Amino acid sequence: MGLQLPRRTAGKPVTIRRAAALAAVGISVLVLGGCSSETKGEWERFAMPDPASQQGERTLDLWQGAWIAALITGVIVWGLIFYAIWRFRRRSDDEIPVQTRYNLPLEIFYTIAPVIMVVVFFAHTVKTQNYVLDEDRDPPVNTIEVVGQQWSWTFNYGIGEMDRSADEDLFDERFPYSSYVHDSGTGSQIPDLYLPVGVTTRFNLHSPDVIHDFGVPGFLMKMDVVPGRVNHYVIKPTRTGDFRGKCYELCGVYHSRMLFNVHVVSQADYDAHVQQLADAGATSDLPLLGGDFASTQTGLESGDESEEGAE
């Protein structure tokens, strides 16, 4: 029996070494897989898509800054936790730790510090929000009337020069263009949205039924589409390419069909697409703001003219 104890004791370090080796291999595989050229950018952006718009770049800066601040805070907290575990550990079975009822300076610190952090985060968030929603810094030269309806999207492109005076008041009965072409999707057909690269485009968002949410992950921008209210924001695409858009608001049983394709193209290709829609007969004096079961929209005058444009 005396010879068996050393064997059991000697076997424990071997088992620990094997477990440590397996853990090291697993961590190495994870690190090497995460450092590939395809995923390096995702690590740098903290899983955020590569922004394809001027506004999205500022959103990414806010996202990265928040993560860096959170990681620094986490390292400090983890360091304090492990320091307290090691520094104030029990060194003998009969030792009783010092009993402290409170530490006033420490309590003041961990009360004020989170408040300061929240204020800083809030200030940077408001600064970024004001930047991405500022339309006076780079005024839009193109306006698209976007309609979210159960369960697809309609995009109305203006023909001719944009009348800025008509676009200043979104609840005005006038629209910034004298005529429109449109591209509408259905439950079985995903519509296409075309945008000119390097051009600031304004989206006027309409809904004839329920609340939707219009956004493109590649642009790092989205906004609610609310019935009776015309929300709006601008986007300036920075590179050509194809992207995917979606509805971010649960809008009904077929919410999963609220998809659309985004094509950022040159100005010449954009004009050619608008002309192609016009040649196909998809024209109207007013933008189409409803669906098969919606013929009115808050902000339009009642009468034959509004019904013709909303059907």
Side-chain angles (χ1 to χ4, degrees):
M1 297 295 293
L3 296 176
Q4 295 179 356
L5 287 175
R7 293 173 183 170
R8 293 173 182 171
T9 305
K12 291 182 178 179
V14 175
T15 304
I16 294 175
R17 286 196 297 269
R18 289 178 178 175
L22 291 174
V25 171
I27 294 175
S28 300
V29 172
L30 179 62
V31 172
L32 291 175
C35 293
S36 64
S37 58
E38 296 180 357
T39 58
K40 181 179 179 181
E42 295 182 1
W43 282 98
E44 294 175 351
R45 297 189 302 270
F46 296 99
M48 188 70 80
D50 186 13
S53 68
Q54 186 182 78
Q55 291 74 14
E57 293 174 357
R58 295 299 292 263
T59 303
L60 178 62
D61 291 341
L62 176 65
W63 175 260
Q64 290 175 318
W67 264 105
I68 292 173
L71 289 175
I72 293 175
T73 304
V75 169
I76 294 175
V77 172
W78 296 331
L80 292 175
I81 290 175
F82 289 120
Y83 170 77
I85 292 174
W86 176 83
R87 176 66 177 79
F88 302 104
R89 70 188 185 281
R90 173 179 285 187
R91 293 173 174 80
S92 61
D93 294 339
D94 58 350
E95 181 182 4
I96 299 177
V98 177
Q99 304 299 302
T100 303
R101 296 181 59 184
Y102 62 88
N103 187 317
L104 186 59
L106 185 60
E107 293 182 5
I108 293 176
F109 171 75
Y110 67 62
T111 300
I112 295 179
V115 174
I116 296 176
M117 294 173 61
V118 170
V119 171
V120 172
F121 277 127
F122 179 78
H124 283 284
T125 301
V126 172
K127 183 179 179 180
T128 301
Q129 175 180 287
N130 292 339
Y131 178 88
V132 300
L133 296 179
D134 184 11
E135 299 184 9
D136 296 329
R137 184 188 67 260
D138 190 1
V141 297
N142 185 38
T143 298
I144 298 177
E145 306 292 333
V146 178
V147 182
Q149 59 202 35
Q150 295 178 314
W151 280 274
S152 191
W153 300 91
T154 298
F155 304 114
N156 298 272
Y157 306 90
I159 299 179
E161 295 294 330
M162 184 177 70
D163 181 6
R164 296 185 182 276
S165 63
D167 200 38
E168 290 177 355
D169 186 358
L170 295 179
F171 289 96
D172 197 332
E173 288 78 10
R174 299 175 300 161
F175 288 95
Y177 296 98
S178 58
S179 60
Y180 288 84
V181 297
H182 54 82
D183 185 6
S184 301
T186 63
S188 58
Q189 177 185 352
I190 298 178
D192 295 301
L193 171 63
Y194 278 75
L195 297 174
V197 66
V199 176
T200 302
T201 297
R202 173 165 159 172
F203 299 124
N204 292 337
L205 308 178
H206 308 265
S207 172
D209 38 52
V210 300
I211 297 178
H212 303 278
D213 196 299
F214 177 79
V216 180
F219 294 162
L220 274 63
M221 281 284 291
K222 66 185 184 71
M223 185 174 288
D224 279 348
V225 187
V226 183
R229 177 183 177 88
V230 185
N231 289 336
H232 60 94
Y233 69 90
V234 296
I235 280 293
K236 186 175 183 178
T238 55
R239 68 174 188 268
T240 60
D242 297 330
F243 305 91
R244 298 291 179 266
K246 63 182 69 176
C247 175
Y248 285 83
E249 186 82 21
L250 182 59
C251 55
V253 294
Y254 295 116
H255 163 71
S256 60
R257 297 183 179 180
M258 295 286 294
L259 306 173
F260 58 95
N261 299 316
V262 182
H263 308 280
V264 180
V265 297
S266 64
Q267 183 67 53
D269 291 340
Y270 174 81
D271 294 337
H273 175 70
V274 173
Q275 185 60 46
Q276 183 180 7
L277 292 175
D279 295 340
T283 60
S284 60
D285 294 335
L286 295 174
L288 305 188
L289 301 181
D292 293 338
F293 303 101
S295 59
T296 60
Q297 168 71 20
T298 299
L300 292 181
E301 292 181 349
S302 59
D304 297 336
E305 182 179 3
S306 63
E307 291 178 0
E308 179 182 355
E311 288 180 353

